[in-house]
Amino acid sequence: MARRYSFLRTWKRARLLVVPAVAVLVAVAGTAQVAQAASASDASPSADAPGACATPTFADGLAQNVFSADSTTWVRGEAWVQVPGVDSDRDGIPDRVHIDITRPAETANPSCGYKAPVIFEASPYFANLGPNANWSVDHEIGDPPATRPAQMPFMIRNTSPIISNDFNTAWLPRGFAVVHADSLGTGWSTGCATDGASNETLGVKAVIDWLNGRATAYTSVDGNTTVPDPDWTTGKVGMMGTSYNGTLPIAAATTGVEGLDAIVPISPVVSYYDYYRTNGMVRGPGGFQGEDSDVLADVVNTRRSAATGWQPDPSVCRPVIQDITANIDRASGDYTSFWNDRNLMNDVDKIHAAVLLAHGDNDNNVMTRQAAEFYDAIKQLGVPHEFYFHQGGHGGSPPDVMVNRWFTRYLYGVQNGVEKLPKSYVVREANACPPRQTPVVGDQSNTATLTVADSGQLTLGLTATIPITASNGTVTTTTRLISKIPDSRHIVLASAVATAAGQRVADGASVSLACGSANPTPYAEWPDPTAAPATLDFTAGAPAIGGLTFQPGSGTTETLTDNAMVTATTSMNAASSNVRLLYQTPALTQNVRLSGTPWLSLWMSFSKPKANLTGVLVDYPPTGSPTILSRGWLDPENRDSPATTEAITPGQYHRMHFDLQAKDAVILAGHRIGIMILSSDNEHTIRPAPGTQLTMDLARSTVQLPVVGGAAALAAAIGAGSPAAQVDAARVSVDRMGLPVTVANQLRLALIDASRKVGTPAACTALSDFQGQVFDLAGSPNATVTLDQAQRLMSVSQVGTQLGCSDPGGKTVYLPDETYLTATPAAAQVDLMEFAETIEGFGLDQGVTADLTNRAWTVAGLVTGRAPAACASLQTLLHTVARTQLTTQQRATLDARTPRLDAELSC
């Protein structure tokens, strides 16, 4: 996760802190000890003075800065919280978590009687990070090196008595206390870091338990003197942090611990498998190729030990890190019990803490799939939620106003209406920024209060851009935070503008909100509720550039040759290349917004038993460099499940259905949407020797994009023509398929009928009838339409989607074994047809084969007609399969596809 974090830390030893009412850490016989600053009895004389008590104050639903911002008045201390039942360093002694505490003076003044809510940040990074000793990735797939380089020694920061000052200046003046914790195995905590295993979760939970009087804390790392219960806090805790520091809040929340009432996870990991693997593939986070769980455990191994007089001692956790190395399995990349133990989604249903999630739309470190999966689960649980989705990379906090409003509501209990606000806040691209502006009324100078035509166009807490006119008439702009909106005609800025002689904010000048991290655009929810899948087919063009179309795809195959040394950037810029397959839409005639998860469904064969498979979504401008919007990866041997390896037979085709990273992006008019297919991804995957060939059957391959406005919006943008014109174009494709004359005439007449009925309610029935005929012709014992032809003709279903004939689906489904699916009728139909095709290839008794395949085609036909009997028919098919005599391998092959069919049909 975020390695930049170390640059925020000093390598100098922490000096003793001397402030009023704060117990000072001293070294006694090599053991860190501290007086009882963690209790409420440590009051400074000045804090007892009459009238010295601040109380929480709120305006516009936000906590105000009314407590002292002078750090010399704050009460500070440290403690070691014991973690019941956890001994991750295997020394026979329960682990302890080292914490520091900073709180307003009022919490130590009995005459104030003030108890503070707590902002809590836990991290394995506070004591510093070592250099990565990564695994080599330049080897054949499935044949990793036996060892990696040894971890080099590095300087370790002393985190006692002060672990960190993060959040102190922001939250102490608002009346909150701030607590930091060295995660287990780091800094002055005992135990061992395990890269997301349950000991780390329980360590954070123990701190929250202690803040609520349910756990025991000590004054030293190994002593027996306890710290009194923290009677200075309400016990209401909010956690916040970035990357690993954002993961631990979710980890704690999945325990359901009482007292954790709000979390603000920024760029968090919810599945460590998805951080170091994807869909069965060993995949590195961007910028950290070759990193794995054991590497990160080494990097944060800043443990101290009694054996060294509580000096840094990395040897304590060496056996634990060696166990991690033994279990990560860089050969298969499969989802195993090791990774299941590090999957927070297993316990997501225990979360009750309100979630304000933040993630970067272009985070190439912790991929956006992590945020999308977690946010989707939180929505389904009905937990209070918001999502801040910015255009940057790793990290990036929501604007302060959002966090303040969140903690004010859920930690202070102020009814500020945050539940009624939009749930999604996307930072829009500067070139696709919605107008949010209002003119100034009258010339105004040297003022923080501006009179405007309509303050409702602006937003409290966001940053306004204000034009300033100088005495000579030149105009420049400045920015100010909007600190208050008192009425419909005025805004109050954080400080005065137009303060120089002769400057003014001129009458009629527009005060606006420029799109950027400080000014997200609100939407009702994420993904956008109006987004729906639009499915495009591929047309041939290799080695140059093919097309993406709503029409039937090309009835041909195209081949690429892997070369892991060629980067994705090089491949997407090449006009012609044998290393990639590239397909583009026509230039867009209007903006297209994507909101959600793109999917690829590819019919592929491979020249070797092991290969990489990569998909890339690209934005191609009319001139200049294209931009990678999203990537996705799949190990072809894990085509049905990340938990199951299924051998690849060279030359044999298989369905490769996999997701790209979740995205929210506006692709501008004049640009083209591109899909690039690679084998190895130089920046993320294992890099085998060049030469593996991947062949794609275009007729049976599609891409599904989550388009706001659905297929109709994308069809309009790429000039696909009216629904009737699209049906007529499909009829022309039928003429070119080389079908038997009687079959071609039958399908041609069905499409003519459908085209004539477009614009009437009968169009949907006509389109459904056409698809039913295709299934009958392809699924009959003497099939007259091949599966390739049938799947090409399924493009007509997109016309039905545009007409609203059927629910396009598009919901992403997450199965327990880390399988990701998109639940759409089209995906179900393809998988049912290939389910039948697989059965035909088993060489079973002719009657048995006919029975099973007919049942599969029947289910596909019911899906087309939106018949509610589709699920019941599927269950009948599966029961019949269960009673059929099959080999172990045949049964395993069909069983692996059953969860996918259930999910795609939403059964």
Side-chain angles (χ1 to χ4, degrees), residues 637-656:
E637 288 192 302
N638 292 86
R639 54 195 176 276
D640 288 318
S641 167
T644 305
T645 293
E646 300 176 81
I648 287 287
T649 300
Q652 182 176 334
Y653 282 87
H654 298 277
R655 174 61 53 192
M656 304 292 152

Side-chain angles (χ1 to χ4, degrees), residues 307-375:
T308 61
W310 292 106
Q311 296 302 306
D313 185 3
S315 69
V316 174
C317 294
R318 181 59 51 205
V320 173
I321 297 172
Q322 290 171 343
D323 283 353
I324 293 175
T325 300
N327 285 282
I328 54 176
D329 182 12
R330 290 184 64 82
S332 77
D334 286 358
Y335 182 77
T336 62
S337 60
F338 173 88
W339 297 110
N340 192 60
D341 291 342
R342 290 160 173 78
N343 189 347
L344 298 178
M345 295 304 296
N346 291 335
D347 294 308
V348 72
D349 59 346
K350 297 177 183 176
I351 292 179
H352 59 78
V355 178
L356 169 53
L357 176 65
H359 213 102
D361 202 11
N362 295 292
D363 193 339
N364 201 31
N365 181 348
V366 178
M367 301 295 171
T368 54
R369 176 204 265 195
Q370 304 262 3
E373 177 182 10
F374 177 66
Y375 190 69

Side-chain angles (χ1 to χ4, degrees), residues 483-781:
S483 59
K484 194 171 184 63
I485 301 181
D487 56 44
S488 64
R489 298 293 303 278
H490 296 88
I491 61 170
V492 179
L493 307 175
S495 61
V497 294
T499 56
Q503 285 187 335
R504 71 187 191 281
V505 182
D507 178 46
S510 288
V511 177
S512 61
L513 299 178
C515 283
S517 296
N519 295 331
T521 299
Y523 295 97
E525 190 51 280
W526 198 89
D528 192 291
T530 63
T535 301
L536 297 172
D537 285 29
F538 297 96
T539 60
I545 301 172
L548 294 173
T549 177
F550 278 110
Q551 297 305 315
S554 298
T556 188
T557 62
E558 294 189 328
T559 298
L560 65 87
T561 302
D562 185 26
N563 186 342
M565 295 301 103
V566 179
T567 67
T569 299
T570 298
S571 289
M572 74 179 181
N573 279 289
S576 179
S577 172
N578 291 318
V579 175
R580 55 89 179 124
L581 301 177
L582 179 59
Y583 308 90
Q584 296 177 353
T585 65
L588 304 180
T589 60
Q590 60 191 42
N591 289 1
V592 170
R593 180 182 165 209
L594 306 180
S595 181
T597 299
W599 289 85
L600 285 169
S601 183
L602 309 178
W603 191 240
M604 305 286 297
S605 71
F606 307 86
S607 66
K608 294 182 180 179
K610 294 183 182 294
N612 291 319
L613 179 58
T614 302
V616 186
L617 174 65
V618 187
D619 178 356
Y620 282 91
T623 59
S625 299
T627 301
I628 292 177
L629 298 179
S630 184
R631 308 187 199 212
W633 306 268
L634 174 71
D635 181 346
E637 288 192 302
N638 292 86
R639 54 195 176 276
D640 288 318
S641 167
T644 305
T645 293
E646 300 176 81
I648 287 287
T649 300
Q652 182 176 334
Y653 282 87
H654 298 277
R655 174 61 53 192
M656 304 292 152
H657 188 71
F658 62 105
D659 58 315
L660 278 61
Q661 297 305 308
K663 194 70 184 175
D664 200 297
V666 174
I667 303 173
L668 300 178
H671 290 221
R672 299 171 188 266
I673 300 172
I675 292 294
M676 181 170 65
I677 309 301
L678 302 169
S679 181
S680 299
D681 184 343
N682 175 271
E683 297 154 290
H684 291 278
T685 69
I686 300 301
R687 299 190 289 234
T692 303
Q693 291 190 317
L694 280 63
T695 300
M696 184 167 87
D697 183 340
L698 275 62
R700 296 174 66 172
S701 299
T702 59
V703 57
Q704 175 186 301
L705 300 176
V707 179
V708 173
L714 184 58
I718 67 173
S722 67
Q726 293 177 54
V727 174
D728 290 340
R731 177 172 52 80
V732 173
S733 295
V734 168
D735 292 339
R736 295 172 178 171
M737 283 186 181
L739 297 168
V741 174
T742 56
V743 172
N745 286 337
Q746 176 184 340
L747 295 178
R748 188 184 302 111
L749 290 172
L751 287 171
I752 291 172
D753 180 56
S755 177
R756 289 171 176 170
K757 292 176 177 176
V758 169
T760 73
C764 292
T765 301
L767 289 169
S768 178
D769 288 346
F770 168 77
Q771 291 181 74
Q773 290 181 42
V774 171
F775 290 144
D776 289 343
L777 292 167
S780 64

